[in-house]
Amino acid sequence: MTLQIDTECETTYSGKSYLNNGQIISLITLNVTVMILNLIFNSAVIYGLIATKQLKNYSLKLILYLSINDCCLALITQTLFTVMLAKFEDKSHCDFETIVQFFAIFFTHISAYIIALIGFDRYIHMRYLNRYAQVMTKTRVMIMQAAVVLLSLTQAMVYVLGTQLNFLSKAKRITVGIDAVIAISVFTLYIMTVRVVRKHSKRTECRDMLETVDTTVTRTASRILTAIVICYIPYIIVSFAHAAVSKKWDGIKKQWLEYALLLGFVLTYCNSFVNAIIFLSLNKKVRKCVTNITIERWREYTSSDHENTDTDTTRM
């Protein structure tokens, strides 16, 4: 394979030109699989939340927005990522890679920030049990949502400018610093929420009201934090390793380092359907609604298929 790397254009995906065909195929296969799972589970969450009319709760609205964003991630980013690997596997295409990079940074960061907002909303809800509606007003929630989109857009544009003006390494360091702050914030918010719930549960007057909430919040927090660790830590580790040794390594080491980096990208996409599964496992109304509609559609399909078979048999 002849490398055709554009040295004047550095993107997050420039290293794909070092990969062999087997590595490219494995990345495409994994990415398409994750994309399908993202669409299936997040579509189920969207349908379930709308059908069960649970959107008066701000946290559930944020979960709806999270699932919509993750569907966009699958349809736009992961589709473009697959096309990039399939069509430009052995050469650099600066414009196309820049577009993929923009959407990847934009949608993944919106997901991360919405998760942070959900943690903040749950903390406020538990911290101010009797004044929650006064603290978390509709206006404040809209401002926070707008801030999420604006911050994600800014970070995506920093990457674009870094590619176009040849300071991508500096751009990565800036955004990684912001990501580190957000990651710490997410962990802190969920831990603080669990502590507040347990504190309220120790009070006699709150115990009956928070018995179910305690279990749900604890499980949700632990599962979301575990999902973040599993999906993001490998990418963070590989990113630091890549920044440290990518210019020093060559040959087979360089090839596997670039493969690990791209694999890390795909693993971060897994967080989208994992979060949807976590929500479906804990929200009984949505889970029951989705299960019922799935069973109903399956029965209609099998019934229609059986009728078609009987018709064909009769004709014969």
Side-chain angles (χ1 to χ4, degrees):
M1 181 183 296
T2 303
L3 300 182
Q4 302 179 39
I5 302 175
D6 185 357
T7 56
E8 296 182 357
C9 177
E10 180 188 4
T11 70
T12 315
Y13 310 113
S14 295
K16 69 179 176 18
S17 299
Y18 291 95
L19 307 186
N20 59 41
N21 290 334
Q23 291 169 328
I24 292 291
I25 292 172
S26 67
L27 286 172
I28 291 175
T29 303
L30 178 60
N31 183 62
V32 171
T33 302
V34 172
M35 179 178 67
I36 294 171
L37 292 175
N38 278 343
L39 289 172
I40 291 174
F41 286 106
N42 283 292
S43 296
V45 171
I46 294 169
Y47 172 81
L49 283 172
I50 294 174
T52 56
K53 300 178 180 179
Q54 298 185 67
L55 297 177
K56 293 182 180 180
N57 183 298
Y58 284 136
S59 282
L60 295 181
K61 279 186 178 179
L62 290 172
I63 288 173
L64 174 68
Y65 299 150
L66 176 64
S67 290
I68 292 173
N69 178 78
D70 288 340
C71 282
C72 292
L73 170 70
L75 288 171
I76 299 175
T77 304
Q78 293 192 260
T79 299
L80 292 175
F81 186 81
T82 300
V83 172
M84 180 188 70
L85 290 177
K87 190 172 182 180
F88 307 113
E89 62 175 284
D90 59 346
K91 58 182 177 296
S92 175
H93 191 293
C94 188
D95 292 339
F96 195 87
E97 289 179 27
T98 302
I99 292 172
V100 179
Q101 182 177 258
F102 171 83
F103 284 116
I105 299 300
F106 180 65
F107 287 122
T108 55
H109 282 78
I110 285 182
S111 292
Y113 295 147
I114 291 178
I115 291 172
L117 283 185
I118 293 171
F120 177 73
D121 177 75
R122 290 299 83 197
Y123 172 72
I124 295 298
H125 184 75
M126 294 297 105
R127 180 69 176 79
Y128 304 98
L129 286 174
N130 299 321
R131 296 192 299 118
Y132 170 74
Q134 298 173 354
V135 177
M136 287 294 286
T137 63
K138 183 178 180 180
T139 301
R140 289 176 180 173
V141 173
M142 290 177 64
I143 290 173
M144 288 189 290
Q145 291 172 353
V148 162
V149 175
L150 182 61
L151 183 56
S152 300
L153 181 62
T154 301
Q155 289 185 269
M157 287 306 301
V158 167
Y159 267 76
V160 172
L161 292 174
T163 296
Q164 297 298 319
L165 302 178
N166 295 320
F167 66 92
L168 185 61
S169 296
K170 293 181 180 179
K172 286 181 179 179
R173 285 196 289 268
I174 293 171
T175 54
V176 167
I178 297 174
D179 292 344
V181 172
I182 297 300
I184 294 172
S185 300
V186 171
F187 276 84
T188 303
L189 285 168
Y190 279 102
I191 291 171
M192 290 171 63
T193 303
V194 172
R195 286 182 176 179
V196 171
V197 171
R198 289 177 175 174
K199 182 179 179 181
H200 286 313
S201 297
K202 291 178 181 179
R203 300 176 184 176
T204 305
E205 65 271 18
C206 297
R207 189 168 297 166
D208 293 338
M209 179 177 65
L210 292 172
E211 183 177 358
T212 303
V213 177
D214 187 8
T215 303
T216 302
V217 171
T218 303
R219 287 180 179 176
T220 302
S222 62
R223 292 179 186 181
I224 287 178
L225 294 179
T226 301
I228 291 173
V229 170
I230 293 173
C231 297
Y232 282 94
I233 292 300
Y235 167 68
I236 293 173
I237 293 174
V238 173
S239 293
F240 278 111
H242 186 274
V245 301
S246 62
K247 294 182 179 179
K248 301 176 183 178
W249 286 6
D250 54 13
I252 193 68
K253 288 184 178 180
K254 176 71 171 178
Q255 182 185 77
W256 283 103
L257 180 64
E258 298 297 342
Y259 176 74
L261 183 65
L262 291 175
L263 183 62
F265 281 124
V266 180
L267 288 178
T268 63
Y269 301 151
C270 293
N271 190 245
S272 296
F273 77 81
V274 171
N275 286 333
I277 292 174
I278 290 172
F279 176 74
L280 289 171
S281 68
L282 294 174
N283 191 301
K284 293 181 180 179
K285 288 184 179 180
V286 172
R287 186 172 68 250
K288 184 177 180 180
C289 176
V290 172
T291 301
N292 290 340
I293 191 65
T294 302
I295 293 173
E296 182 181 337
R297 291 290 179 267
W298 175 253
R299 286 176 177 173
E300 290 178 359
Y301 172 77
T302 54
S303 175
S304 175
D305 186 61
H306 181 70
E307 290 177 0
N308 291 336
T309 302
D310 290 342
T311 302
D312 292 341
T313 303
T314 303
R315 288 176 179 177
M316 292 176 64

